[in-house]
Amino acid sequence: IGSCYYRMGNLVEAMKFFVKAIVKKEKFSLSYCNLGICFYELNELKEAIENFNFAIYLNPENIIALNSIALC
C-alpha cells in the first residue's frame, strides 16, 4: 500500500505504511529503503541516510539502498 501512495505522490501516507511494515517485520530491508527514498524526496537527508544505512546493514546487497545513499 505504501508503494501505491508513493507512486501517487503522497509521500506522507506512503511513509506511514512503510513504518507499519517495519513495525510488523523490523528486519525487512526494503521497508527501510522505501522510507529512505521518501525522506530523500522530502529533502530530509539525515533521515534518508539513516534508513539507507540500516537497509544496507540488513541486506548488504540491497542495490537500491546502495545507489540511493550515493545520491545523498
Side-chain angles (χ1 to χ4, degrees):
I1 297 173
S3 296
C4 292
Y5 278 111
Y6 174 80
R7 283 192 290 273
M8 292 188 309
N10 192 337
L11 299 178
V12 174
E13 282 301 311
M15 292 171 78
K16 289 178 188 177
F17 282 94
F18 295 140
V19 169
K20 285 182 183 183
I22 288 168
V23 169
K24 284 189 173 197
K25 190 175 180 184
E26 72 180 50
K27 304 250 184 208
F28 189 52
S29 176
L30 185 58
S31 295
Y32 288 96
C33 185
N34 288 337
L35 190 56
I37 291 169
C38 289
F39 277 121
Y40 176 81
E41 292 202 14
L42 293 170
N43 204 32
E44 296 180 24
L45 299 183
K46 180 178 180 254
E47 291 84 357
I49 291 169
E50 288 173 2
N51 280 279
F52 293 142
N53 277 331
F54 199 68
I56 293 165
Y57 169 77
L58 292 174
N59 178 8
E61 296 179 12
N62 185 327
I63 299 299
I64 297 169
L66 290 166
N67 287 337
S68 297
I69 201 167
L71 297 174
C72 296

